[in-house]
Amino acid sequence: MPEVSFPDNQIIVSKTDTKSIITYCNATFISISGYQESELIGQPHNIIRHPEMPKGVYKMLWQTIAKQDEFFGLVKNRCKNGDYYWAFANISASLDANGKTIGYYSVRRKPTENLINLLAPIYENMLKIEQQQSDKEAGMNASWQYLLNEFDGLGEDYVATLLQFFE
């Protein structure tokens, strides 16, 4: 399926509850994904998860936001018609007055081609690692460790590498 792109000056915004059920999506999200707002609200955010996106990245995402830290990552999402789009995601916890997490807020923007070119082969290898494991959890852990090792070998960590593409 073909890749869909969105203009540099637009951002995709969504909000979810603590179980990742979509509670808000902006017009750019609706337009890029090909879904109607009524098809997104109330659905799990993984409605747009592309099957070529490694689970190890999502493990890192959930471990990061569970601590109320910000997550930065490159994600490949699937449109309703099967097309896909890459997005540079920033996800953070939404907190109540007492500091308790009540949901998550995600802002996604168009990534650079250089970032996609750097991470796409790593993600492909992560998927292969996941598929080689008979246990889903073991595959996710092994691919996550592979990701960490790849960036350790570059002398950088995942987030630092991503952010340098946007400085």
Side-chain angles (χ1 to χ4, degrees):
M1 289 295 195
E3 181 175 358
V4 174
S5 185
F6 55 99
D8 293 336
N9 62 348
Q10 291 188 20
I11 59 171
I12 296 172
V13 179
S14 60
K15 293 181 184 182
T16 69
D17 65 13
T18 56
K19 301 209 183 298
S20 197
I21 303 299
I22 299 170
T23 59
Y24 169 81
C25 50
N26 73 345
T28 303
F29 185 12
I30 294 164
S31 174
I32 298 294
S33 72
Y35 286 95
Q36 298 296 314
E37 182 178 27
S38 61
E39 294 175 296
L40 292 167
I41 302 295
Q43 294 300 311
H45 207 283
N46 67 8
I47 190 173
I48 60 166
R49 184 177 186 169
H50 196 282
E52 294 175 0
M53 190 64 201
K55 293 173 180 59
V57 173
Y58 291 105
K59 177 180 176 73
M60 180 174 38
L61 181 158
W62 281 105
Q63 287 190 345
T64 302
I65 63 176
K67 297 183 295 187
Q68 296 183 347
D69 290 338
E70 282 185 280
F71 172 80
F72 296 91
L74 180 70
V75 294
K76 185 177 188 178
N77 290 326
R78 180 173 50 190
C79 302
K80 182 179 179 178
N81 69 358
D83 293 349
Y84 70 94
Y85 60 97
W86 287 100
F88 178 72
N90 172 234
I91 303 168
S92 56
S94 296
L95 309 176
D96 68 10
N98 298 316
K100 180 183 175 195
T101 300
I102 56 172
Y104 300 100
Y105 183 77
S106 178
V107 176
R108 294 163 317 274
R109 61 182 160 161
K110 183 178 179 178
T112 65
E113 283 299 315
N114 288 339
L115 181 59
I116 295 168
N117 292 337
L118 172 70
L119 288 176
I122 293 171
Y123 284 7
E124 287 175 23
N125 287 335
M126 291 175 72
L127 279 172
K128 289 176 188 172
I129 290 167
E130 290 174 4
Q131 292 164 355
Q132 292 170 351
Q133 302 290 323
S134 58
D135 176 71
K136 181 178 164 181
E137 185 75 20
M140 183 171 51
N141 289 333
S143 76
W144 182 42
Q145 189 59 53
Y146 170 82
L147 177 67
L148 296 177
N149 291 343
E150 281 296 298
F151 283 93
D152 188 42
L154 295 173
E156 307 251 359
D157 68 16
Y158 179 77
V159 173
T161 299
L162 293 174
L163 293 177
Q164 74 183 355
F165 284 91
F166 292 98
E167 293 177 345

